Amino acid sequence: MMRSIARRGFVTSAGLALAGLAFALSPGTAQADDATTDAQIAQYTAYLAVASARGDGQAREILGQFQDLSGDEKARFVTLINDPELANKFFEAATSAPTATGAPVVLAGGDVVVEYENSSGASDGLPPNDGSEAQASRVRDMWASYSVTDKFLGIKVAQVKVTTNYQVKGKDTTKVYPGSALHYLYVPGCSFTHSPVEEWISSPPADNAQSETVWTAECWGSEWDRRERVWGDYRGFVGGYLKK
């Protein structure tokens, strides 16, 4: 449920600043009750075009996908993306799956989908360690990531992602490097910021490299805090979540 909280000192990305500037060029986009659907389509198109012109590749991709929609689909898209009540629902839905194995969450009759994805790998590009005797002393740098993505009519308009970077020797996690938190967001009236990423190695026998950040989502004057964490070991990705 939407709630107001005290503002905290989070780190804001350059991409977020650009998004804020773009929407500042279109006053009243977020909650223009008297705006026509055609005006909302024009405003959203202009918003993406401004971001694209400033070198935002993600905005350029979304703009192309948005322009490929039919007239009725564009009308449906801007109706959904300018709906504060729906924003509340999909931000809440994004935290409903406790692990990365959660099935997609479907809203608005299937027009809005929240997806959970994970990936992992090693710097040498070879498969993960298998725990065999031959690999017992093998030292490798590895990474694992976990992301949550919001799709409107098949278009990815928002994503938060956290990555952990670490070193293993055989089955043991021996070192954890600085992790990272990335996002994009193209929803009128909403923005993401995040706390500095923290990382650590969990106690044996789990022996996982972990990275975590706290996201704040701001929408139409209200805010949410959500903690996103990912962990991995010699096999690669082990688990992740985005929750309160």
Side-chain angles (χ1 to χ4, degrees), residues 58 115 117 146-150 156-162 182-186 192 215 228:
Q58 189 70 38
E115 295 182 337
E117 301 173 308
Y146 175 64
S147 63
V148 180
T149 305
D150 301 311
K156 296 180 178 181
V157 300
Q159 182 184 88
V160 291
K161 179 179 182 179
V162 63
L182 301 173
H183 83 278
Y184 58 80
L185 181 66
Y186 301 90
F192 281 140
W215 294 98
E228 184 174 16

Side-chain angles (χ1 to χ4, degrees), residues 15-204:
L16 176 60
L18 173 60
L21 173 61
F23 266 105
L25 298 177
S26 300
T29 299
Q31 289 181 306
D33 294 337
D34 58 346
T36 66
T37 300
D38 286 346
Q40 289 179 329
I41 291 172
Q43 288 169 334
Y44 194 67
T45 300
Y47 156 56
L48 294 174
V50 169
S52 298
R54 293 178 178 273
D56 187 332
Q58 189 70 38
R60 185 178 303 111
E61 179 179 344
I62 293 174
L63 176 60
Q65 294 171 337
F66 182 68
Q67 290 176 327
D68 286 341
L69 296 177
S70 68
D72 288 344
E73 288 172 331
K74 288 178 182 176
R76 174 66 170 163
F77 185 101
V78 297
T79 297
L80 292 170
I81 210 164
N82 284 289
D83 183 348
E85 292 186 5
L86 178 61
N88 178 46
K89 290 178 182 178
F90 77 74
F91 274 117
E92 289 293 328
T95 65
S96 64
T99 70
T101 59
V105 173
V106 178
L107 302 168
D111 289 337
V112 177
V113 178
V114 182
E115 295 182 337
Y116 309 89
E117 301 173 308
N118 67 78
S119 59
S120 59
S123 59
D124 56 18
L126 298 175
N129 288 359
D130 59 16
S132 66
E133 184 176 348
Q135 294 186 344
S137 61
R138 189 178 182 185
V139 177
R140 311 177 73 191
D141 285 340
M142 301 186 67
W143 59 270
S145 67
Y146 175 64
S147 63
V148 180
T149 305
D150 301 311
K151 298 171 68 175
F152 282 60
L153 276 68
I155 299 176
K156 296 180 178 181
V157 300
Q159 182 184 88
V160 291
K161 179 179 182 179
V162 63
T163 299
T164 187
N165 303 292
Y166 56 99
Q167 183 184 86
V168 299
K169 181 178 181 180
K171 288 187 176 182
D172 297 327
T173 302
T174 55
K175 184 182 298 184
V176 60
Y177 303 115
S180 64
L182 301 173
H183 83 278
Y184 58 80
L185 181 66
Y186 301 90
V187 178
C190 298
S191 64
F192 281 140
T193 54
H194 69 85
S195 66
V197 179
E198 298 181 357
E199 50 274 320
W200 67 94
I201 300 175
S202 60
S203 301

